[in-house]
Amino acid sequence: MNIRDIQVQVLEIPFRLQFKHHNADRSRTQTILVRTRTLNGRIGFGEGCPREYVTDETLASCTAFVRDHAHDLCGNIHSTEDLRSWMDQHQHHIDTNPAAWCAIELSLLDAMSKDLGQSIEETLGTPPLSGTFQYTAVLGDNSPSAFTKLVKRYVALGFEDFKVKITGATNNDNDKLSLVLSAAPEARIRLDANNIWETTGEVLAYLDELSCTPFALEEPLQPRAFNELNRLLANTPVPIILDESFLNKGHFDHIDTNNDNVFVNLRVSKMGGLTRSRAVAQLLSETRVPIIIGAQVGETSLLTRAALCLANEFKDSVIAQEGAFGTLLLETDI
């Protein structure tokens, strides 16, 4: 593959409804779109979703990262081997700009695959997509009436797995759980705290006051507070899902992955693209840590399609999967 140019733009698509959780309140996408054009006229697209509270990235920093490296990439990336070599040489830069690199990498892989006339799975050397994929219904901190309406809509669409964004106020959160279970009595429910608490004691006290036992609890503590996290893992009655606290392979060293109470949420954007996500998924699979294929709120179908590569390749380790809701959430979808 020979690259003509790499360009980046900010993608702001309005939501059909507001989405709120502890760390953010969104009414439109927060996304960059990267376009790679080859000399053969093939065009590849990549998406990254920067989140300040996850990777310290912004739309401006991601845009700058792409523009800073576009010329170098155009001259040096011709194959997947070149891509891996570039990543090895720029690991630190990617660690601090994972969403930006994700958009670049996906656009390069897409352009490369089109240039070769094959699927992205063939380009990566992963199994071809097969079977079906069951997604999770994600519920934000909406008003009771809006929350109820969404639950009923999800149930009507056939969703059985639910992720509920919580506030930490048990009366409020118990009401949400009751609404879900009244509409779907057999629902499997996990909760997402988005880093509400500081200590293990606070988390355990909250769980004691819940009206039902969730399947798992995501990110209850401050991001990457590893000492407190390991204390919680040793005492929690429910599994803990790591998201903001697990951004790259280096975080393996800080977490007691021998504990059965730890799951990891792999979101392609926050991990820095497909190649890095696959490497982490392989390690998680080998250490028998269950995987949740995550998604950024407001991502388009482009990132969700990329995540299918992971869900398909590591299906034996995947216990839940999130993805874009297309025009059920966005006014338009690329």
Side-chain angles (χ1 to χ4, degrees):
M1 175 182 73
N2 293 301
I3 302 172
R4 181 185 299 275
D5 56 34
I6 296 174
Q7 297 184 355
V8 59
Q9 70 181 80
V10 171
L11 196 65
E12 291 188 318
I13 302 173
F15 289 1
R16 292 187 181 277
L17 63 145
Q18 197 169 24
F19 192 91
K20 182 180 178 183
H21 61 72
H22 178 65
N23 284 330
D25 190 349
R26 302 191 185 286
S27 58
R28 61 182 55 240
T29 60
Q30 183 180 336
T31 297
I32 64 161
L33 183 71
V34 172
R35 186 195 75 175
T36 293
R37 185 170 53 162
T38 72
L39 288 179
N40 288 341
R42 308 297 185 186
I43 298 176
F45 292 101
E47 176 183 7
C49 297
R51 299 291 183 262
E52 295 93 330
Y53 56 89
V54 181
T55 62
D56 294 325
E57 292 174 281
T58 64
L59 292 171
S61 72
C62 286
T63 301
F65 181 88
V66 177
R67 288 174 177 159
D68 287 346
H69 294 286
H71 180 73
D72 182 38
L73 290 162
C74 286
N76 289 289
I77 306 300
H78 307 286
S79 64
T80 53
E81 290 77 14
D82 293 339
L83 185 59
R84 285 192 289 269
S85 177
W86 199 96
M87 291 174 65
D88 289 341
Q89 295 169 26
H90 297 80
Q91 182 176 334
H92 174 70
H93 291 107
I94 297 173
D95 282 347
T96 52
N97 298 273
W101 174 250
C102 173
I104 293 172
E105 186 214 40
L106 292 182
S107 75
L108 291 169
L109 289 172
D110 189 26
M112 203 177 297
S113 300
K114 288 172 179 173
D115 227 31
L116 295 168
Q118 62 191 27
S119 71
I120 198 166
E121 283 78 20
E122 288 178 276
T123 301
L124 290 171
T126 65
L129 291 188
S130 64
T132 57
F133 301 85
Q134 182 68 43
Y135 286 91
T136 295
V138 182
L139 294 157
D141 185 24
N142 303 89
S143 67
S145 60
F147 189 92
T148 301
K149 194 176 297 184
L150 274 174
V151 171
K152 290 180 178 178
R153 191 176 185 186
Y154 279 134
V155 171
L157 288 168
F159 284 87
E160 300 171 345
D161 194 54
F162 290 80
K163 172 166 143 176
V164 179
K165 300 281 188 176
I166 58 173
T167 63
T170 49
N171 287 343
N172 178 289
D173 296 338
N174 279 330
D175 287 345
K176 292 178 182 176
L177 292 173
S178 178
L179 288 170
V180 174
L181 291 172
S182 64
E186 303 301 317
R188 187 181 73 169
I189 303 173
R190 63 185 185 274
L191 309 179
D192 190 356
N194 288 108
N195 318 110
I196 292 174
W197 296 286
E198 301 276 349
T199 67
T200 294
E202 292 173 298
V203 178
L204 297 179
Y206 172 83
L207 290 171
D208 281 342
E209 294 178 10
L210 283 182
S211 56
C212 67
T213 302
F215 167 65
L217 174 62
E218 185 167 332
E219 283 293 334
L221 298 169
Q222 298 306 294
R224 299 176 290 287
F226 294 119
N227 289 337
E228 194 63 26
L229 172 60
N230 286 323
R231 189 173 297 116
L232 176 59
L233 290 175
N235 292 279
T236 178
V238 301
I240 301 299
I241 303 168
L242 307 184
D243 184 10
E244 289 88 348
S245 294
F246 203 108
L247 305 180
N248 54 60
K249 287 199 296 185
H251 289 151
F252 268 105
D253 300 335
H254 303 285
I255 298 162
D256 181 10
T257 52
N258 293 318
N259 196 305
D260 291 340
N261 283 327
V262 61
F263 301 165
V264 172
N265 185 335
L266 287 188
R267 292 190 279 175
V268 176
S269 179
K270 71 150 187 180
M271 301 305 299
L274 265 178
T275 303
R276 285 162 60 102
S277 294
R278 289 182 63 218
V280 171
Q282 184 62 48
L283 283 171
L284 292 172
S285 178
E286 290 170 358
T287 52
R288 300 184 183 279
V289 175
I291 298 170
I292 292 173
I293 303 297
Q296 308 284 165
V297 173
E299 71 179 35
T300 74
S301 295
L302 204 164
L303 261 177
T304 294
R305 170 61 181 90
L308 282 175
C309 297
L310 289 178
N312 186 61
E313 184 177 7
F314 298 97
K315 59 182 64 176
D316 291 341
S317 298
V318 173
I319 57 171
Q321 186 176 357
E322 302 165 11
F325 290 107
T327 53
L328 293 176
L329 174 63
L330 308 179
E331 286 194 3
T332 60
D333 188 350
I334 59 173

